[in-house]
Amino acid sequence: MPIQWFPGHMASARKKAAEAMASTDVVIEVTDARLPEASSNPMIGELRRFRNRPCLKLLNKSDLADPAVTRMWMDFYNRQPGVKAVAISAKSAAEVARIPALCSQLAPHRDDGVKPLRMMIMGIPNVGKSTLMNALLKRKVAKVGDEPAVTKHQQTIDLGPGMTLTDTPGMMWPKIDYDADGYMLAASHAIGRNAVIDEEVAAFLGEILIARYPAQLVARYRLDATALGAMDGPDLVEAVGRRRGCLIKGGGLDLEKAAQILLQDYRDGALGRISLETPDTRAQVIAAARDAAAQAAASTDGVDAADGSAGESAADGSD
């Protein structure tokens, strides 16, 4: 089932962010280091490129991501014009403290002591923008919660001498183009639970974990490595349910509870440092979507051609 989630307040948030972009020097885009592209709202790129604004792309929650994969993403982004990518954990004061200086490097025209450096934090829900905002200001000014779309209002605050910081609500985009993105976002809790089915999301996550991180599954759930190799995503959810005693009345498995356990273990980092996508897998997703679209278009053209031929034959017969 394709996943879509675009709460009403996000349309208003996009409009206000577009207005604020006009008076912004540097865009700080916060993404989830475990799924940097899936968690990057394409509207943010469109807005900043329209205004020709440089971007400090923060791969947040890097302490939860596979470090080797994060290095691949850093190389990927740092080859893009106007982009500086940095892997951080917003919970690390030392890493957060580097951000103003990095923004200054991206906007050297503001290093004149006359006009303030104006920064704007943007990103999708639940990637850590509020945690970052509070860490930068060294006080609580933004509500933090383990639920998407906690922040619903834009605010601008003086960060220090010659610097202002605008915090924006988490913004999704109206249509998620790739089904895999929807599932990765749901697994990482960037999409509200009312829009997803936990068992489906956990089964999707399970497929990735079995293929790329089997050792972590064996260690966490005491699974047999050979048996794990023969499992698919739904099988893994069932195995987790059996290991964790997720039973319902009558002795059956509570698959919803088992799915929630697997998802929460991933979100909390209990499975170890996991990344859900790499630059290569991203390219594969895009290529597969293009192939599917081309095949669908070819099929439609074939049907139209057949209909046209049938119509011509009917017309010839009536003469």
Side-chain angles (χ1 to χ4, degrees), residues 22-278:
S23 57
T24 294
D25 299 306
V26 178
V27 174
I28 302 172
E29 183 185 7
V30 186
T31 66
D32 188 323
R34 298 167 296 181
L35 52 151
E37 275 295 280
S39 63
S40 179
N41 184 338
M43 293 194 304
I44 294 174
E46 292 168 6
L47 289 173
R48 71 172 185 80
R49 284 190 290 271
F50 177 75
R51 291 289 182 180
N52 196 28
R53 299 299 189 255
C55 177
L56 178 64
K57 188 177 283 282
L58 299 181
L59 279 62
N60 191 30
K61 305 185 182 182
S62 62
D63 54 320
L64 301 176
D66 184 330
V69 176
T70 298
R71 286 192 292 272
M72 295 178 194
W73 282 115
M74 297 274 285
D75 291 341
F76 175 84
Y77 288 122
N78 282 322
R79 289 195 296 269
Q80 298 178 2
V83 176
K84 171 67 176 177
V86 179
I88 72 160
S89 168
K91 296 178 181 178
S92 168
E95 293 177 8
V96 170
R98 301 169 52 205
I99 292 173
L102 291 169
C103 289
S104 294
Q105 293 171 16
L106 288 169
H109 63 290
R110 287 297 182 190
D111 191 21
D112 57 9
V114 177
K115 295 183 178 180
L117 174 66
R118 301 163 300 181
M119 299 165 284
M120 181 161 65
I121 297 178
M122 304 184 75
I124 69 167
N126 215 25
V127 289
K129 296 186 308 302
S130 294
T131 299
L132 177 66
M133 184 82 171
N134 293 340
L136 281 167
L137 293 166
K138 298 179 182 178
R139 66 183 191 275
K140 186 173 181 179
V141 295
K143 186 178 179 181
V144 177
D146 187 27
E147 289 291 335
V150 170
T151 301
K152 290 185 171 62
H153 303 287
Q154 183 171 293
Q155 61 177 330
T156 299
I157 299 173
D158 288 335
L159 181 59
M163 292 185 177
T164 64
L165 187 64
T166 299
D167 184 27
T168 62
M171 293 190 300
M172 291 296 293
W173 54 109
K175 184 179 184 301
I176 298 172
D177 290 331
Y178 309 114
D179 290 351
D181 286 1
Y183 283 105
M184 284 189 281
L185 290 166
S188 303
H189 214 190
I191 289 177
R193 285 192 62 202
N194 60 330
V196 305
I197 298 173
D198 285 338
E199 294 97 311
E200 292 184 0
V201 177
F204 173 88
L205 174 64
E207 298 280 358
I208 295 176
L209 297 175
I210 291 169
R212 301 182 208 165
Y213 300 99
Q216 284 91 322
L217 293 173
V218 170
R220 179 66 178 174
Y221 303 114
R222 302 190 305 279
L223 301 174
D224 178 83
T226 302
L228 179 63
M231 291 182 186
D232 60 12
D235 292 336
L236 177 61
V237 175
E238 291 185 12
V240 170
R242 286 192 293 271
R243 282 296 187 184
R244 290 292 186 263
C246 302
L247 303 177
I248 57 177
K249 189 175 181 179
L253 282 175
D254 186 340
L255 294 178
E256 182 178 10
K257 184 176 180 181
Q260 290 170 359
I261 288 173
L262 180 61
L263 291 170
Q264 200 61 50
D265 280 351
Y266 156 70
R267 292 165 182 167
D268 293 342
L271 292 171
R273 300 179 70 172
I274 305 290
S275 289
L276 299 188
E277 62 174 352
T278 70

